[in-house]
Amino acid sequence: MIEMKYVPTICPYCGTGCGLNLVVVDEKVVGVEPWKRHPVNEGKLCPKGMFSHEFIHREDRLTKPLIKQPNGEFKESSWDEATDLIANKLGEIKSENPDNIGFLACARSPNENIYVTQKFARKVIGTHNVDHCARICHGPTVAGLARTFGSGAMTNDFKSIEEADVIFIIGSNNMEAHPLFGRRVIRAKKNGAKIIVADPRFTPTAKLADIYMEFRSGGDVPLLNAMMKIIIDEGLQDDEFIKNRTKNYQRLKEVVSKYDLKKVSEIAEVNVEKLVEATMLYAKADKAAIVYSLGITEHRHGADNVMSTANLAMLTGNIGRDGTGVNPLRGQNNVQGACDMGALPTDYPGYQKVVDVDAKRRVEQNWTCTLDDCAPGLTVVEMIHAAAAGNIKAMYITGEDPVLSDPDTNHVIEAMENLDFLVVQDIFMSETGRYADVVLPAAGWGEQEGTFTNGERRVQLVRKAVNPPGEAKVDWEIMKEIAVKMGAEPEQFTYENAEEIFDEMREITPQYKGMNRERLERPEALHWPCPDENHPGTGLMHVDTFAHPDGMGVFEPAEYIGPSELPDKDYPLILTTTRTLFHYHASMTRRCKTLDNELPMGYVEIHTNDAKKLGILNREFVKVKSRRGEIEISARVTDDIKEGEINIPMHFAEASANRLTTSKELDPKSKMAELKVCAAVVEKIE
């Protein structure tokens, strides 16, 4: 007799956090059905969600531990052999210096796995060298919104956007990258909202706009400063809000006064008439919301860009009400949770700073241990640099693929090859895994229990539908086994299930304190902050006060510093990168047959005039070069990109955009690399 069941869970891709049901027949996931009453997506799914199940039972799943042999080939091993080797090698390197070891947590994994990863790094190894992919996507959001609002997260819930009179979208193509949030933008437009989009590309999102402002990549700060100057010059600022709820306003006025229309048109190459029109529309709205994503964060001035959006919102009093706010759309399904869980070199769980002695004491009491010091660790990009220089000897990477997703691929490969020891824990053999000494098979989505935290701070249950393949194990179970072999007190890693881990975590994480399994079983789940078990959760933040100790918002004015690498005669074009509707990070979506059939190869977008000058035809294969590498890729000739710029989706290892991008200069406030701007040249292949 055939046994079928539906298992409700959360989509494993973007940070929207849509609900869906895995359809299981005879212990195999065979399909997906939308979760009709789920509050985020209301029974709708994008293509990625609809076909998300297709990678689960792939034949190339990792099923046994692999150890690299002297000849460079991998050989299957037992778990005991693999974990003994890891425990011994990490122990040797730890004895020399714990800070010679670095950890990357997985932002696609449940909170419980991430929590145990950072606990393992700090308690068992004794290092704060633990980070994850937020560093190269929304690190500037965490840093920038924390400095301005006191909390580095989305200010409103998703449904709030439908109440807006004006929606200002900058650096976000949500119709492709976050389609179910984009659906709410369309609803808002049908309700009468006016849409402003600022982007170097005329994206599907820009095509919804009432006002579209094309501008030069890297010109975000001048554009936003110019908007604020216009608002102040026209007397459209909210004086009451500024007086009662903010500080440092005079400094903001001084800085933005320098950004007149002539200067900004030269730097940002924006149409000044449209800029003035958009500014007046935003400033005069009763309720105006700002939406952004990686288009403004992935710069060496990413935190400045984010703080500028916060400045604009506070200047006009568009904070603390439905239909307003600053709304970053998070990239990966649990990148918000990974930040919350303390997978950051500067923060324990709940954004408690490692330099804070009281925070250190609270964590030590919870973990019944003594932590070595309060010095922050290295970020992911700093770890890569340190590994290349020989200062990081070992790395333990769970579910991340820096060879594909991090800037300057050749430099990342150099770093991986220079390590004394590399462990990669994943569901498939990744590009990074090929350089590992040990590869461990992990349980994936649909094969474990836990929680994801989406971009609106909604903490949701993810449920197990089937068993992992072969001998694959859940991340926290693997970490527990290695911890005990390295001498950790068994009672510190005695978890029997994900709920026990969550309960430990919430005891030291103020934002999650009031959450428990019973409360999270409800479809609507809970938004943090949720300080006690009687609290309903917080969809709308900063209603009466900001999250700073004194309750005030802080204007953080930013001067224009520009990209680290500008076009010249040898590399005359600006390269930027994007995600697409059909793909996410490659390891999962490119193994979904339906999705890969839709978009099986990469491409470079190039403006019609630039292509004509170079004699390049649509769909012709071309060579794209930067100072760091080159790739061959199909050309997509279009008017939907700014002249002088090119764009490459980042999903395709065989034509990897990150072979071209740079990690030379980092954002000093967030350590973000400049993924969105580098100088490039396109050449015909003779």
Side-chain angles (χ1 to χ4, degrees):
M1 183 176 177
I2 295 174
E3 181 183 351
M4 185 178 81
K5 61 182 178 181
Y6 278 22
V7 179
T9 192
I10 306 302
C11 181
Y13 291 120
C14 79
T16 307
C18 296
L20 54 81
N21 289 283
L22 291 175
V23 182
V24 182
V25 175
D26 289 342
E27 301 304 315
K28 185 173 182 178
V29 180
V30 298
V32 160
E33 283 292 326
W35 187 338
K36 301 298 184 186
R37 291 183 292 173
H38 194 273
V40 171
N41 54 306
E42 300 170 325
K44 308 295 183 182
L45 288 173
C46 78
K48 287 189 283 286
M50 186 60 73
F51 300 102
S52 54
H53 67 286
E54 291 185 348
F55 73 85
I56 294 177
H57 300 296
R58 287 270 307 205
E59 292 181 358
D60 57 344
R61 282 288 302 272
L62 294 170
T63 59
K64 291 187 177 182
L66 303 173
I67 296 176
K68 186 169 285 181
Q69 303 303 300
N71 65 1
E73 299 294 321
F74 283 107
K75 181 182 177 182
E76 291 182 354
S77 77
S78 68
W79 273 102
D80 263 347
E81 182 184 5
T83 53
D84 282 347
L85 175 60
I86 294 167
N88 290 334
K89 292 294 289 187
L90 293 184
E92 290 171 9
I93 296 169
K94 172 188 173 181
S95 66
E96 297 170 5
N97 184 351
D99 288 330
N100 286 343
I101 303 173
F103 291 81
L104 297 186
C106 177
R108 286 174 291 153
S109 190
N111 286 316
E112 293 73 11
N113 291 342
I114 299 164
Y115 174 81
V116 171
T117 299
Q118 62 84 34
K119 180 178 178 180
F120 182 96
R122 291 179 161 121
K123 184 181 186 305
V124 179
I125 301 298
T127 184
H128 291 302
N129 292 341
V130 57
D131 206 359
H132 70 289
C133 70
R135 186 65 50 195
I136 52 170
C137 60
H138 274 285
T141 290
V142 176
L145 294 186
R147 290 177 68 152
T148 50
F149 298 159
S151 174
M154 193 172 191
T155 61
N156 292 45
D157 56 23
F158 292 150
K159 68 180 180 181
S160 165
I161 203 73
E162 297 180 32
E163 303 298 317
D165 300 312
V166 171
I167 303 171
F168 176 31
I169 301 171
I170 180 168
S172 171
N173 179 17
N174 47 73
M175 293 308 299
E176 288 199 273
H178 303 87
L180 271 298
F181 179 84
R183 178 173 176 261
R184 293 190 182 275
V185 173
I186 293 172
R187 272 188 181 173
K189 186 175 175 70
K190 288 181 177 178
N191 291 340
K194 299 297 184 183
I195 313 296
I196 303 165
V197 175
D199 201 295
R201 299 170 59 234
F202 191 46
T203 63
T205 305
K207 291 170 185 176
L208 293 174
D210 297 280
I211 302 173
Y212 167 58
M213 293 189 288
E214 179 186 73
F215 75 106
R216 183 184 178 97
S217 293
D220 312 83
V221 164
L223 186 150
L224 293 165
N225 279 351
M227 292 179 71
M228 287 183 272
K229 175 176 167 36
I230 294 167
I231 289 167
I232 294 169
D233 289 348
E234 295 293 326
L236 296 173
Q237 72 277 4
D238 188 331
D239 290 321
E240 197 70 17
F241 187 93
I242 293 166
K243 176 184 175 182
N244 295 329
R245 297 202 52 191
T246 71
K247 53 189 180 183
N248 207 29
Y249 175 55
Q250 290 304 315
R251 175 61 182 153
L252 178 80
K253 286 179 68 175
E254 291 170 13
V255 171
V256 303
S257 67
K258 306 171 190 175
Y259 291 83
D260 57 68
L261 292 177
K262 182 176 184 297
K263 178 177 181 178
V264 170
S265 68
E266 292 171 353
I267 297 173
E269 299 178 9
V270 64
N271 180 297
V272 294
E273 288 79 14
K274 285 189 175 183
L275 177 60
V276 172
E277 183 185 4
T279 302
M280 300 300 281
L281 185 63
Y282 177 87
K284 291 181 178 180
D286 177 46
K287 295 179 288 187
I290 297 172
V291 175
Y292 73 81
S293 193
L294 306 190
I296 72 166
T297 61
E298 290 186 332
H299 295 268
R300 72 161 176 161
H301 47 82
D304 288 346
N305 293 346
V306 170
M307 292 189 298
S308 296
T309 66
N311 293 338
L312 179 59
M314 289 189 290
L315 181 67
T316 53
N318 278 300
I319 289 289
R321 295 178 289 133
D322 283 335
T324 69
V326 177
N327 302 283
L329 299 181
R330 304 307 293 259
Q332 296 203 34
N333 56 301
N334 201 33
V335 73
Q336 180 68 60
C339 295
D340 300 347
M341 293 301 102
L344 299 166
T346 53
D347 293 22
Y348 295 116
Y351 306 97
Q352 301 173 94
K353 302 301 177 186
V354 300
V355 296
D356 183 338
V357 174
D358 290 336
K360 176 174 177 281
R361 187 177 300 115
R362 285 192 294 272
V363 175
E364 288 176 332
Q365 289 173 348
N366 184 273
W367 292 352
T368 320
C369 71
T370 301
L371 299 171
D372 289 340
D373 60 55
C374 295
L378 300 179
T379 67
V380 54
V381 182
E382 290 173 324
M383 285 187 234
I384 297 298
H385 290 336
N391 298 322
I392 286 279
K393 306 292 186 184
M395 290 189 72
Y396 195 131
I397 299 174
T398 60
E400 299 276 317
D401 193 3
V403 169
L404 178 66
S405 60
D406 287 21
D408 194 354
T409 297
N410 290 332
H411 179 59
V412 177
I413 291 172
E414 176 191 3
M416 297 297 104
E417 291 181 329
N418 201 42
L419 290 168
D420 291 346
F421 192 63
L422 173 61
V423 181
V424 169
Q425 195 164 292
D426 215 323
I427 61 175
F428 297 106
M429 177 60 76
S430 64
E431 298 299 313
T432 305
R434 303 182 197 286
Y435 299 92
D437 296 285
V438 181
V439 176
L440 300 177
W445 174 70
E447 299 165 354
Q448 57 188 312
E449 299 283 320
T451 53
F452 289 162
T453 306
N454 76 349
E456 60 176 350
R457 298 168 281 102
R458 190 191 298 263
V459 182
Q460 305 186 87
L461 291 177
V462 290
R463 296 174 174 87
K464 181 177 178 179
V466 293
N467 289 322
E471 298 177 16
K473 295 184 180 182
V474 177
D475 287 345
W476 65 259
E477 294 175 327
I478 300 170
M479 289 287 194
K480 170 182 173 180
E481 185 175 334
I482 298 170
V484 172
K485 287 188 174 183
M486 291 190 69
E489 303 91 330
E491 63 271 16
Q492 288 298 303
F493 288 87
T494 56
Y495 318 112
E496 294 299 324
N497 53 53
E499 185 177 357
E500 291 184 6
I501 300 170
F502 188 91
D503 285 341
E504 177 183 300
M505 175 276 298
R506 72 187 183 102
E507 287 301 314
I508 56 168
T509 307
Q511 297 90 333
Y512 286 62
K513 183 79 171 178
M515 299 183 189
N516 57 38
R517 175 82 188 207
E518 181 181 358
R519 301 191 75 197
L520 295 179
E521 286 282 359
R522 303 175 304 182
E524 65 272 21
L526 289 164
H527 296 83
W528 69 254
C530 181
D532 63 65
E533 292 189 6
N534 294 315
H535 194 281
T538 309
L540 178 63
M541 294 184 72
H542 315 308
V543 174
D544 298 311
T545 61
F546 288 96
H548 287 297
D550 63 0
M552 302 294 278
V554 182
F555 285 109
E556 290 279 359
E559 296 278 12
Y560 173 66
I561 61 172
S564 60
E565 187 175 88
L566 292 170
D568 56 25
K569 64 181 180 63
D570 296 320
Y571 299 94
L573 300 170
I574 290 176
L575 166 67
T576 190
T577 64
T578 52
R579 289 183 176 131
T580 66
L581 176 62
F582 295 106
H583 284 303
Y584 198 69
H585 288 258
S587 65
M588 295 185 336
T589 54
R590 293 202 68 199
R591 287 180 169 88
C592 294
K593 183 178 179 181
T594 305
L595 298 174
D596 206 47
N597 284 344
E598 291 289 340
L599 188 62
M601 67 169 66
Y603 56 87
V604 55
E605 287 181 328
I606 182 169
H607 191 275
T608 304
N609 292 341
D610 292 324
K612 187 175 180 180
K613 292 173 190 174
L614 296 168
I616 291 169
L617 302 177
N618 192 39
R619 298 191 178 183
E620 179 180 6
F621 269 78
V622 297
K623 188 174 289 186
V624 184
K625 295 180 179 179
S626 76
R627 290 180 173 86
R628 287 151 297 280
E630 63 181 58
I631 60 174
E632 292 186 3
I633 194 168
S634 174
R636 182 176 288 187
V637 179
T638 177
D639 289 336
D640 289 349
I641 188 168
K642 185 173 176 58
E643 196 168 347
E645 301 206 13
I646 58 175
N647 170 63
I648 301 176
M650 52 76 65
H651 317 289
F652 301 91
E654 63 273 25
S656 174
N658 284 323
R659 289 194 176 274
L660 311 175
T661 53
T662 177
S663 63
K664 181 175 65 173
E665 291 192 35
L666 306 180
D667 177 3
K669 299 179 181 71
S670 68
K671 303 301 174 70
M672 165 63 77
E674 189 139 63
L675 284 154
K676 283 291 181 273
V677 178
C678 76
V681 61
V682 178
E683 298 176 350
K684 283 182 71 71
I685 298 175
E686 302 298 339

